[in-house]
mmCIF file of all heavy atoms in Angstrom:
data_model
loop_
_atom_site.group_PDB
_atom_site.id
_atom_site.type_symbol
_atom_site.label_atom_id
_atom_site.label_comp_id
_atom_site.label_asym_id
_atom_site.label_seq_id
_atom_site.Cartn_x
_atom_site.Cartn_y
_atom_site.Cartn_z
ATOM 1 N N GLU A 1298 0.616 -4.660 -18.481
ATOM 2 C CA GLU A 1298 -0.087 -5.155 -17.294
ATOM 3 C C GLU A 1298 -0.209 -4.039 -16.251
ATOM 4 O O GLU A 1298 -1.266 -3.851 -15.642
ATOM 5 C CB GLU A 1298 0.650 -6.353 -16.705
ATOM 6 C CG GLU A 1298 0.003 -6.916 -15.466
ATOM 7 C CD GLU A 1298 0.807 -8.024 -14.803
ATOM 8 O OE1 GLU A 1298 1.791 -8.530 -15.398
ATOM 9 O OE2 GLU A 1298 0.453 -8.374 -13.672
ATOM 10 N N ILE A 1299 0.860 -3.296 -16.061
ATOM 11 C CA ILE A 1299 0.861 -2.192 -15.095
ATOM 12 C C ILE A 1299 -0.115 -1.107 -15.532
ATOM 13 O O ILE A 1299 -0.880 -0.591 -14.713
ATOM 14 C CB ILE A 1299 2.284 -1.629 -14.895
ATOM 15 C CG1 ILE A 1299 3.148 -2.658 -14.155
ATOM 16 C CG2 ILE A 1299 2.247 -0.304 -14.144
ATOM 17 C CD1 ILE A 1299 4.626 -2.326 -14.138
ATOM 18 N N LEU A 1300 -0.121 -0.761 -16.810
ATOM 19 C CA LEU A 1300 -1.059 0.253 -17.290
ATOM 20 C C LEU A 1300 -2.507 -0.192 -17.071
ATOM 21 O O LEU A 1300 -3.358 0.614 -16.687
ATOM 22 C CB LEU A 1300 -0.815 0.563 -18.766
ATOM 23 C CG LEU A 1300 0.477 1.310 -19.097
ATOM 24 C CD1 LEU A 1300 0.550 1.599 -20.584
ATOM 25 C CD2 LEU A 1300 0.623 2.588 -18.289
ATOM 26 N N ALA A 1301 -2.778 -1.479 -17.285
ATOM 27 C CA ALA A 1301 -4.125 -2.012 -17.039
ATOM 28 C C ALA A 1301 -4.469 -1.941 -15.553
ATOM 29 O O ALA A 1301 -5.611 -1.593 -15.182
ATOM 30 C CB ALA A 1301 -4.239 -3.443 -17.551
ATOM 31 N N LEU A 1302 -3.505 -2.236 -14.685
ATOM 32 C CA LEU A 1302 -3.721 -2.133 -13.243
ATOM 33 C C LEU A 1302 -3.994 -0.684 -12.828
ATOM 34 O O LEU A 1302 -4.832 -0.425 -11.971
ATOM 35 C CB LEU A 1302 -2.510 -2.673 -12.472
ATOM 36 C CG LEU A 1302 -2.352 -4.182 -12.402
ATOM 37 C CD1 LEU A 1302 -0.978 -4.546 -11.853
ATOM 38 C CD2 LEU A 1302 -3.449 -4.791 -11.534
ATOM 39 N N ILE A 1303 -3.275 0.240 -13.439
ATOM 40 C CA ILE A 1303 -3.483 1.657 -13.141
ATOM 41 C C ILE A 1303 -4.910 2.063 -13.507
ATOM 42 O O ILE A 1303 -5.598 2.726 -12.728
ATOM 43 C CB ILE A 1303 -2.446 2.539 -13.876
ATOM 44 C CG1 ILE A 1303 -1.062 2.357 -13.236
ATOM 45 C CG2 ILE A 1303 -2.861 4.007 -13.864
ATOM 46 C CD1 ILE A 1303 0.080 2.986 -14.018
ATOM 47 N N THR A 1304 -5.354 1.646 -14.683
ATOM 48 C CA THR A 1304 -6.716 1.961 -15.120
ATOM 49 C C THR A 1304 -7.746 1.364 -14.173
ATOM 50 O O THR A 1304 -8.693 2.043 -13.749
ATOM 51 C CB THR A 1304 -6.949 1.448 -16.557
ATOM 52 O OG1 THR A 1304 -6.017 2.098 -17.433
ATOM 53 C CG2 THR A 1304 -8.367 1.720 -17.026
ATOM 54 N N GLU A 1305 -7.549 0.110 -13.817
ATOM 55 C CA GLU A 1305 -8.476 -0.566 -12.906
ATOM 56 C C GLU A 1305 -8.493 0.108 -11.533
ATOM 57 O O GLU A 1305 -9.556 0.365 -10.963
ATOM 58 C CB GLU A 1305 -8.086 -2.036 -12.771
ATOM 59 C CG GLU A 1305 -8.980 -2.827 -11.846
ATOM 60 C CD GLU A 1305 -8.532 -4.273 -11.684
ATOM 61 O OE1 GLU A 1305 -7.370 -4.605 -12.010
ATOM 62 O OE2 GLU A 1305 -9.358 -5.066 -11.212
ATOM 63 N N GLU A 1306 -7.320 0.397 -11.005
ATOM 64 C CA GLU A 1306 -7.217 1.027 -9.686
ATOM 65 C C GLU A 1306 -7.864 2.416 -9.704
ATOM 66 O O GLU A 1306 -8.560 2.796 -8.761
ATOM 67 C CB GLU A 1306 -5.740 1.112 -9.261
ATOM 68 C CG GLU A 1306 -5.506 1.714 -7.904
ATOM 69 C CD GLU A 1306 -5.767 0.775 -6.735
ATOM 70 O OE1 GLU A 1306 -6.413 -0.272 -6.906
ATOM 71 O OE2 GLU A 1306 -5.343 1.104 -5.629
ATOM 72 N N SER A 1307 -7.663 3.144 -10.770
ATOM 73 C CA SER A 1307 -8.251 4.471 -10.885
ATOM 74 C C SER A 1307 -9.778 4.403 -10.854
ATOM 75 O O SER A 1307 -10.437 5.169 -10.134
ATOM 76 C CB SER A 1307 -7.780 5.141 -12.176
ATOM 77 O OG SER A 1307 -8.325 6.429 -12.281
ATOM 78 N N LYS A 1308 -10.348 3.476 -11.593
ATOM 79 C CA LYS A 1308 -11.806 3.306 -11.602
ATOM 80 C C LYS A 1308 -12.324 2.913 -10.215
ATOM 81 O O LYS A 1308 -13.354 3.417 -9.762
ATOM 82 C CB LYS A 1308 -12.214 2.244 -12.624
ATOM 83 C CG LYS A 1308 -12.060 2.701 -14.054
ATOM 84 C CD LYS A 1308 -12.395 1.576 -15.025
ATOM 85 C CE LYS A 1308 -12.193 2.013 -16.459
ATOM 86 N NZ LYS A 1308 -12.437 0.920 -17.411
ATOM 87 N N MET A 1309 -11.600 2.031 -9.558
ATOM 88 C CA MET A 1309 -12.022 1.581 -8.231
ATOM 89 C C MET A 1309 -11.935 2.715 -7.209
ATOM 90 O O MET A 1309 -12.827 2.870 -6.372
ATOM 91 C CB MET A 1309 -11.176 0.383 -7.790
ATOM 92 C CG MET A 1309 -11.449 -0.868 -8.598
ATOM 93 S SD MET A 1309 -10.353 -2.218 -8.164
ATOM 94 C CE MET A 1309 -10.953 -2.616 -6.546
ATOM 95 N N ILE A 1310 -10.875 3.498 -7.265
ATOM 96 C CA ILE A 1310 -10.735 4.630 -6.346
ATOM 97 C C ILE A 1310 -11.831 5.653 -6.617
ATOM 98 O O ILE A 1310 -12.436 6.181 -5.682
ATOM 99 C CB ILE A 1310 -9.328 5.254 -6.441
ATOM 100 C CG1 ILE A 1310 -8.294 4.317 -5.805
ATOM 101 C CG2 ILE A 1310 -9.295 6.619 -5.758
ATOM 102 C CD1 ILE A 1310 -6.856 4.756 -5.980
ATOM 103 N N ASN A 1311 -12.108 5.923 -7.891
ATOM 104 C CA ASN A 1311 -13.177 6.875 -8.228
ATOM 105 C C ASN A 1311 -14.507 6.409 -7.650
ATOM 106 O O ASN A 1311 -15.240 7.210 -7.051
ATOM 107 C CB ASN A 1311 -13.312 7.029 -9.746
ATOM 108 C CG ASN A 1311 -12.182 7.841 -10.340
ATOM 109 O OD1 ASN A 1311 -11.517 8.595 -9.656
ATOM 110 N ND2 ASN A 1311 -11.969 7.669 -11.632
#
Side-chain angles (χ1 to χ4, degrees):
E1298 179 186 349
I1299 291 169
L1300 290 182
L1302 284 169
I1303 289 170
T1304 299
E1305 180 182 17
E1306 181 79 344
S1307 181
K1308 288 176 182 177
M1309 291 175 70
I1310 288 173
N1311 286 339

